[in-house]
Amino acid sequence: MRRALDEAAKGSGKVSPNPAVGAVLVRQGRIIATGFHRGPGLPHAEIECLAAKPKGSLRSATLFVTLEPCCTSGRTPPCTDAILQAGIGRVVVGAVDPNPLHRGRGIGKLEESGAEVISGVLEKECTQLNETFNKWIVTRRPFVIAKCGMSLDGRLTRRPNEQRWLTSATARAQSMKLRSQVDAILIGANTLRADNPQLTVRGLGRTKQPWRVVLTRSGNLPLSARLFADRFAERTLIYRDRILAEVLDDLGSREITSVIIEGGGDVLGQAFDQRLVDRVHFFLAPMLTGGPVLAVAGTGADSTSKSARIHDFKVQRIGPDLFVSGYPKWD
């Protein structure tokens, strides 16, 4: 199953709005084929794996797959049919499909047709791999990541008229990797006016470009901004005078399964005040700037007991900076 997770990771960030899935076929204790889902409309991991198998009976073989095989027709035929047709005798599943319309049905179909099924193997790892898909498929709202680079005193900027960056080039390269794994990047109008950002994925070779999303109250945006003039201009969405929850609902209806909020402090404050954040990605630079822009503005919690607590808290050193990640929970 760990090898299947490695296979699934090859499709991470490339398959939305589908989940990333990996499959490994084992016969007589030996891996004889592997596969992963490469993108929407392309064969699922199980089909890729079966297409690569050598000749011979698969009755004694075991198929390891990170997510419950699909049992309905969509962009591709049901994987359960292909598994049964191949004569595989045993299927090991990592996580059950969270889609309320499919949950458990693929496993049920395999078992009813005589295949042995074992589920829940490395379930936590297999589930976390598709945390963005898992939320979207159930709620039809994107998984929201709050991301920023801040000073130790919680500021997004240096003093006025000083250079822009707080974090190191190493941390910014990591930020690019994070961008490449989401469907959309969201900012507020003040960030657009102040920074004129590109919001593109750079330095990673060929990769998909996320949608760029701008929230504005007035609609007064500079037409010369890069977002409106570069080759990705058609992948820029403007939402005027809309609350953040409504924007997320609309993005979800567009099959955007994940959004990273990159600022500014006002938009991040709205996200936390409305309890819309699913994960935090904070880069902390080893400095105190006293800059004018708070990392997370807004009204805040009524009391400390009602504030967000970060679970599965992780801290990683990236160059001179710290990368802090985790999942906010509100009691």
Side-chain angles (χ1 to χ4, degrees):
M1 188 60 74
R2 293 197 185 280
R3 175 63 185 275
L5 278 165
D6 290 342
E7 289 295 314
K10 295 176 182 178
S12 184
K14 304 173 185 177
V15 300
S16 181
N18 292 350
V21 183
V24 171
L25 190 61
V26 175
R27 185 170 58 193
Q28 296 178 348
R30 176 172 165 267
I31 293 176
I32 59 174
T34 62
F36 69 96
H37 183 43
R38 298 173 183 271
L42 297 177
H44 288 184
E46 301 93 318
I47 306 304
E48 280 230 343
C49 189
L50 292 174
K53 72 173 181 67
K55 296 180 179 179
S57 172
L58 296 180
R59 176 52 56 187
S60 64
T62 299
L63 177 68
F64 292 82
V65 59
T66 56
L67 184 68
E68 175 183 10
C70 65
C71 60
T72 58
S73 294
R75 292 185 176 99
T76 59
C79 289
T80 49
D81 289 357
I83 293 170
L84 294 170
Q85 191 172 34
I88 294 173
R90 187 167 176 257
V91 180
V92 178
V93 174
V96 173
D97 189 342
N99 187 337
L101 298 177
H102 300 158
R103 186 177 180 88
R105 291 178 59 193
I107 290 175
K109 185 173 182 179
L110 291 172
E111 290 178 331
E112 289 169 6
S113 299
E116 178 189 359
V117 180
I118 298 172
S119 61
V121 176
L122 296 185
E123 182 176 15
K124 181 179 179 180
E125 293 90 335
C126 291
T127 298
Q128 189 171 30
L129 176 72
N130 286 307
E131 61 185 5
T132 58
F133 169 82
N134 295 342
K135 181 189 176 183
W136 175 77
I137 199 64
V138 174
T139 67
R140 292 294 165 173
R141 180 178 281 183
F143 187 91
V144 177
I145 301 168
K147 175 259 174 183
C148 67
M150 69 171 81
S151 60
L152 292 179
D153 54 343
R155 309 293 172 142
L156 292 180
T157 60
R158 297 171 182 260
R159 302 294 293 176
N161 302 318
E162 292 186 354
Q163 69 177 25
R164 174 182 173 188
W165 299 112
L166 296 179
T167 55
S168 64
T170 306
R172 296 198 296 275
Q174 177 68 16
S175 180
M176 285 295 164
K177 291 181 181 179
L178 297 175
R179 280 184 179 181
S180 72
Q181 296 169 359
V182 299
D183 292 341
I185 306 166
L186 187 149
I187 62 170
N190 287 338
T191 297
L192 178 67
R193 298 187 192 103
D195 297 340
N196 191 18
Q198 298 179 65
L199 302 186
T200 54
V201 179
R202 303 181 295 278
L204 297 179
R206 294 186 61 183
T207 185
K208 72 171 186 178
Q209 168 59 42
W211 287 89
R212 286 96 60 96
V213 181
V214 182
L215 306 189
T216 173
R217 294 187 180 92
S218 68
N220 182 23
L221 301 174
L223 297 180
S224 60
R226 292 172 173 175
L227 300 190
F228 308 138
D230 67 10
R231 61 194 179 100
F232 300 116
E234 293 183 354
R235 292 184 65 80
T236 300
L237 300 172
I238 307 299
Y239 289 92
R240 181 178 179 182
D241 202 22
R242 300 276 294 277
I243 65 172
L244 185 55
E246 293 177 348
V247 172
L248 294 175
D249 286 337
D250 187 71
L251 294 177
S253 71
R254 297 171 181 262
E255 295 191 335
I256 291 174
T257 67
S258 55
V259 174
I260 190 167
I261 300 178
E262 292 203 2
D266 179 54
V267 177
L268 285 168
Q270 291 179 49
F272 280 101
D273 284 347
Q274 297 173 42
R275 301 187 174 187
L276 298 173
V277 177
D278 297 297
R279 187 170 185 174
V280 297
H281 284 167
F282 287 169
F283 294 86
L284 276 71
M287 64 177 72
L288 290 84
T289 70
V293 182
L294 290 173
V296 180
T299 59
D302 294 336
S303 65
T304 303
S305 63
K306 296 181 180 179
S307 64
R309 305 284 178 168
I310 307 301
H311 292 249
D312 291 336
F313 185 79
K314 296 179 181 178
V315 179
Q316 177 185 356
R317 180 84 177 263
I318 300 181
D321 307 309
L322 294 180
F323 174 57
V324 178
S325 64
Y327 301 86
K329 304 291 183 183
W330 288 266
D331 294 330

